[in-house]
Amino acid sequence: MTDPDHDVPWTALPRSLAPLLAEHVPVFTEGLLAAVHRDVPVYAPSLCGPLRGEIQQGVESALTRFLDLAGTAQPALRDEDRLVYELLGRAEVHQGRPMDALFAAYRSAARTTLRSMSGVAMDTGAEASVLIVLAESVFAYIEELSAASAQGYALEQSERAGERDRLLDTVAEMLIRGHAEEDAVHTAVLAAGWTLPERVVVVALPADRRTGLRSRLGTRSLLTSRPGELIALVPEPSSPTTRQELGRALAGRNAVVGPGRAWQSAPDSLRLAVLARDLLQHDPGDEGPLWVTEHLAQLLLLSEHAMVEDLAALRLAPLEQLRPAQRERLGATLLSWLKHHGHRAAMAAELLVHEQTVGYRVNQLREVFGETLNDPQARFELELVLRARPPQHRS
């Protein structure tokens, strides 16, 4: 972009040269278009099609503007000119092309124009110093055109990315709210250019764990925000490998992964993820996420707290006659006994005591609970209420 604090090269171009070159603008234009057609084949269809006349007029305007700069300190582009070249850059985005082709066309145009203008200037007796300034001016002018087009290209990409993000956020909200018609969801997905998975898992994370998450999850996932939290919709892992990959992507983010559901039931996956986050003790320092499917029984018990408390009061009443420390030891022993079907070696390993100690405690349990421990239904209910207790009450 031209720096107004420094001289531009065309300041040194003789004003008298401009009208001499202006007479040849139509010829310069034809030569420029022929060179671009040859050097940048991607533009050949446009140069040979119905847009040929409009393109030719645009090139003639650009060359005329360049010649008008001779002997002045004007910037290369006026506001209206800059808009034209920004639009050319935006058009490249529309066509799905990188800027390489347009830059190549500009370079080809500069070389051809300089060759043509230098030939005319030499025929009029221009000195070598004038030809040098002419070359500097042509390339400086082309740089300005290129910069304007690059800016238009970048602006279009940015706006498109912002619009796509908005559309993807709309899809995410439709899925996690669950009230939209299927046709509306498919329409929104199509507009966003996204692929709708058949099954998803919904992940709940703290709001401050966003950094780098989108790139870690990949383009098949959606990420949206709610007050204080992030919600990610991710294709349900289809194999142990993809599950491990998702676990690595969420490592260290205190994430809770809901169970897999058909996309129509994404709100259910989110509900269970939030419920697990609120009810289960998930250490924020854990490396991996909390997978709801690994804690369904515990989650079921904790979600019916009042009912579990009633059952606990009934089934654990015999322990109330004991001292608190003894009550806790026997409670832990009872849960271990139920889990391991009375196998003393496994119980001893879990409780970190000797097998003889296990035997002593089991005898105490039989004295406290009596025939209750022989009742399958009672044993089932005892295990339920003991598993529902917070971990610190099992030690």
Side-chain angles (χ1 to χ4, degrees):
M1 199 171 294
T2 304
D3 186 343
D5 295 330
H6 294 80
D7 290 338
V8 287
W10 45 82
T11 302
L13 273 179
R15 285 181 178 270
S16 58
L17 183 63
L20 297 176
L21 297 177
E23 297 177 7
H24 301 274
V25 163
V27 177
F28 296 158
T29 299
E30 289 299 326
L32 184 156
L33 293 177
V36 171
H37 185 283
R38 179 189 66 247
D39 297 338
V40 194
V42 70
Y43 293 126
S46 297
L47 294 173
C48 296
L51 294 177
R52 167 79 183 201
E54 186 176 338
I55 295 171
Q56 184 170 347
Q57 184 178 357
V59 171
E60 289 184 357
S61 296
L63 294 176
T64 300
R65 170 61 185 170
F66 170 72
L67 295 176
D68 288 343
L69 296 174
T72 76
Q74 296 181 36
L77 302 176
R78 299 161 296 193
D79 289 345
E80 59 269 28
D81 300 323
R82 184 171 301 281
L83 178 60
V84 170
Y85 297 106
E86 286 183 2
L87 290 175
L88 288 177
R90 288 178 180 270
E92 294 300 283
V93 179
H94 297 166
Q95 294 297 324
R97 287 192 293 258
M99 280 293 291
D100 299 8
L102 187 55
F103 285 153
Y106 282 144
R107 290 193 298 270
S108 174
R111 290 193 302 270
T112 304
T113 299
L114 177 59
R115 189 180 305 115
S116 300
M117 287 187 174
S118 296
V120 173
M122 290 174 64
D123 289 343
T124 62
E127 297 180 355
S129 59
V130 172
L131 298 180
I132 292 172
V133 173
L134 178 62
E136 292 177 350
S137 299
V138 167
F139 286 110
Y141 184 67
I142 287 295
E143 285 180 5
E144 291 293 313
L145 271 58
S146 299
S149 293
Q151 182 176 11
Y153 189 91
L155 288 172
E156 183 67 23
Q157 282 190 316
S158 176
E159 291 169 9
R160 286 195 167 204
E163 175 63 12
R164 186 166 189 265
D165 285 345
R166 186 189 68 77
L167 292 171
L168 289 173
D169 195 62
T170 297
V171 173
E173 287 297 321
M174 294 174 78
L175 292 176
I176 63 178
R177 291 181 185 279
H179 300 307
E181 297 290 335
E182 287 199 16
D183 287 348
V185 172
H186 284 294
T187 299
V189 166
L190 183 63
W194 190 60
T195 301
L196 182 63
E198 291 187 8
R199 293 179 62 83
V200 299
V201 294
V202 181
V203 184
L205 310 93
D208 61 356
R209 303 302 174 93
R210 173 184 286 273
T211 304
L213 182 60
R214 188 181 297 277
S215 61
R216 294 294 299 274
L217 292 178
T219 57
R220 292 201 63 204
S221 301
L222 297 180
L223 189 63
T224 189
S225 299
R226 287 187 168 187
E229 68 179 352
L230 295 175
I231 304 297
L233 288 102
V234 183
E236 181 182 21
S238 57
S239 67
T241 299
T242 53
R243 178 186 166 96
Q244 290 172 2
E245 290 173 353
L246 178 57
R248 285 194 294 269
L250 297 173
R253 297 180 186 270
N254 199 19
V256 181
V257 184
R261 293 287 187 271
W263 66 261
Q264 296 90 336
S265 299
D268 187 52
S269 181
L270 173 60
R271 178 182 63 82
L272 292 174
V274 172
L275 186 65
R277 180 199 63 196
D278 294 342
L279 295 181
L280 300 180
Q281 293 190 343
H282 184 215
D283 183 359
D286 284 349
E287 281 300 310
L290 187 152
W291 301 85
V292 172
T293 51
E294 296 178 356
H295 303 273
L296 291 174
Q298 187 182 5
L299 190 60
L300 176 63
L301 294 174
L302 293 176
S303 63
E304 295 293 344
H305 181 72
M307 191 178 301
V308 172
E309 285 296 312
D310 288 342
L311 186 59
L314 174 65
R315 287 302 181 191
L316 299 179
L319 293 175
E320 294 301 316
Q321 60 184 303
L322 306 176
R323 295 187 308 276
Q326 187 181 19
R327 185 164 59 239
E328 295 306 324
R329 282 198 303 273
L330 288 185
T333 302
L334 178 56
L335 178 57
S336 185
W337 181 78
L338 293 165
K339 287 166 56 179
H340 298 294
H341 305 285
H343 294 297
R344 291 190 181 184
M347 293 173 62
E350 180 179 48
L351 298 172
L352 302 178
V353 297
H354 195 275
E355 288 187 36
Q356 289 182 345
T357 303
V358 170
Y360 172 72
R361 290 187 186 179
V362 171
N363 288 335
Q364 285 184 301
L365 286 172
R366 292 196 179 278
E367 290 176 5
V368 171
F369 284 94
E371 289 299 316
T372 299
L373 296 184
N374 296 325
D375 181 354
Q377 180 64 28
R379 291 199 303 269
F380 171 72
E381 293 176 0
L382 279 167
E383 186 169 359
L384 282 182
V385 297
L386 288 168
R387 283 183 178 273
R389 294 195 306 172
Q392 62 266 29
H393 291 166
R394 300 178 196 162
S395 59

